[in-house]
């Protein structure tokens, strides 16, 4: 495997470890930023926490260690989804809904 940019010569860190570390940092960041709504993530980035949970579940299935949808969401949200939704999710505004529809048309 090719070394990564900035990786020291002779490093034993492999790509999977780096990707896992980056994923854990992304999850931690999203947990810290509960003020950022999923709809805003979808508008700006085309994915949200639920997408990450779906990808987590797909990866677990492909590796032969399946997890449920609820387990995958809890791995991403850091708590049961219903609890996160009750604490942090706000009703989408008409502007957010319109921006979401426009963004979806582009993808």
């Amino acid at each position: 495997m090719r070394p990564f940019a900035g990786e020291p010569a002779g490093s034993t860190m492999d790509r999977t470890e780096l990707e896992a570390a980056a994923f854990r940092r992304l999850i931690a960041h999203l947990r810290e930023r509960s003020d950022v709504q999923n709809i805003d993530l979808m508008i700006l980035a085309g994915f949200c926490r639920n997408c990450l949970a779906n990808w987590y579940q797909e990866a677990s299935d492909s590796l032969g260690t399946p997890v449920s949808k609820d387990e995958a969401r809890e791995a991403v949200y850091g708590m049961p989804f219903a609890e996160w939704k009750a604490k942090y999710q706000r009703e989408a505004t008409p502007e957010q809904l319109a921006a979401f529809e426009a963004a979806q048309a582009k993808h």
Side-chain angles (χ1 to χ4, degrees), residues 13 15-27:
M13 183 168 290
R15 180 180 211 115
T16 302
E17 290 175 286
L18 290 171
E19 290 169 347
F23 178 77
R24 287 189 299 271
R25 182 62 190 104
L26 173 61
I27 295 301

Side-chain angles (χ1 to χ4, degrees), residues 39 42-43 46-47 97-107:
I39 194 166
M42 288 295 294
I43 292 164
F47 78 98
L97 293 171
F100 176 77
E101 290 301 320
Q104 292 302 299
K106 293 178 185 177
H107 298 292

